Amino acid sequence: MAPARDFYQALGVSRTASQDEIQRAYRKLARTYHPDINKDPEAEERFKEISEAYDVLSDPESRRRYDAFGPEFRQVPPDVDPEDWARARAGAGRAGAGAGAGAGWGRGGAEWVGAEGIDIEDLFGDLFGGRVRGRAGRGRGPIAGADQEAEIEVTVEEAYRGGRRSMTISGLGGPRTIEVNIPPGVTDGQRIRLAGQGGRGGDGAPAGDLYLIVRLAPHPRYKVDGRDLSVELRLAPWEAALGTSVSLDTPGGEAKVTVPPGSSSGRRLRLRGRGLPNPRGRPGDLYAEIRIMVPTELSHEERRLFEELAAVSTFNPRGSDSRSSGSSSSDARRRR
């Protein structure tokens, strides 16, 4: 069997690549080789290869161990010094060099049995304090699985109400589908913990946890700032001038908004507690931002009324004091 490709080579990145570079490389390759997209029989194996590489290199601790111990990092006890490991491996190679064709590692993974009866266990035992042992029921001990992270995109409505969702993530064995409970009131960047859904443990040890990082998806109506929401409130000119009460759709249902007379575009009306909920405190607010709309086409009667309004109004929207500026302009017109 051909040796496994170096994880950095599998992703096409350098050993000094940042976490962002590793993530970008994985996403690009996943889009190319995902079995749902690429039907080439070899694509699935390639996807498994890049998924395993990403699972290891995206976790800082597993990446550190991979850099220190290479492909055998999963078999090395957690507190082994990399230099001790290198010396032990070099010593094992020298001791077995003349052992002949019958030499090899035992099933325990740490006992060398050769033609000369050489036992390398002592070399490893001295360095590792006896933690790496041979066949006679002497395993290396359980190693807990690594914690892992992934992103989950959530709509504003899901963030408000919560809910249950299936999602597919990449793992060492290829893609897998998990069930996620999204709690009400999650915010962008918050982490959802799924106990026991992370990396697999060794020798019966428990699996690590999976942390899903919430990313709020862009919304066609709502803008999100923490737990506060903003939404555009469109008004006719006469509604803004005279004041009105209008219905507004919010993630929590319909709400009534009272618009004070004389409201201009850009004015923000706050609806307390109508933003994203907060399980541990005060919920966010919802801000309705006024935008005055005018008809693109006027009927004959509408045009007549607007012209009549223009003739009698003293309002000057471009003056520093619109009402006084408007009055001065009207007085000037009358004097002429």
Side-chain angles (χ1 to χ4, degrees), residues 11-70:
L11 294 179
V13 297
S14 70
R15 302 189 76 85
T16 59
S18 67
Q19 290 296 314
D20 285 343
E21 290 172 326
I22 289 172
Q23 185 178 71
R24 286 196 297 271
Y26 168 73
R27 287 179 173 176
K28 181 179 179 180
L29 291 169
R31 284 194 293 267
T32 301
Y33 293 102
H34 195 288
D36 291 344
I37 299 172
N38 192 330
K39 301 305 180 183
D40 188 317
E42 296 181 359
E44 184 173 358
E45 289 303 315
R46 181 76 173 99
F47 184 73
K48 290 179 180 180
E49 180 185 50
I50 62 177
S51 295
E52 180 181 13
Y54 178 69
D55 284 344
V56 172
L57 299 184
S58 63
D59 178 78
E61 177 59 22
S62 61
R63 180 181 180 180
R64 181 190 68 79
R65 289 177 55 76
Y66 178 75
D67 290 344
F69 303 111

Side-chain angles (χ1 to χ4, degrees), residues 233-244 246 259-260 262-265 290-295 302 306:
L233 177 60
R234 298 185 176 188
L235 298 176
W238 48 90
E239 290 179 317
L242 302 176
T244 187
V246 297
V259 180
S263 294
S264 297
S265 286
I290 292 175
R291 182 181 178 190
I292 298 174
M293 310 295 292
V294 298
E302 286 172 333
F306 271 115

Side-chain angles (χ1 to χ4, degrees), residues 150-172:
E151 290 189 352
I152 179 171
E153 191 172 67
V154 174
T155 66
V156 172
E157 289 81 3
E158 286 177 316
Y160 187 92
R161 298 187 181 92
R164 190 170 179 82
R165 156 102 72 87
S166 295
M167 67 174 293
T168 301
I169 63 172
S170 301
L172 295 180

Side-chain angles (χ1 to χ4, degrees), residues 43 71 147:
D147 291 342

Side-chain angles (χ1 to χ4, degrees), residues 155-161 219 221-222 224 229-231 248-255 274-277 286:
T155 66
V156 172
E157 289 81 3
E158 286 177 316
Y160 187 92
R161 298 187 181 92
H219 198 279
R221 293 189 65 237
Y222 303 112
V224 184
L229 303 177
S230 297
V231 63
L248 181 67
D249 288 332
T250 75
E254 188 177 278
R274 298 305 293 259
L276 295 179
L286 186 142

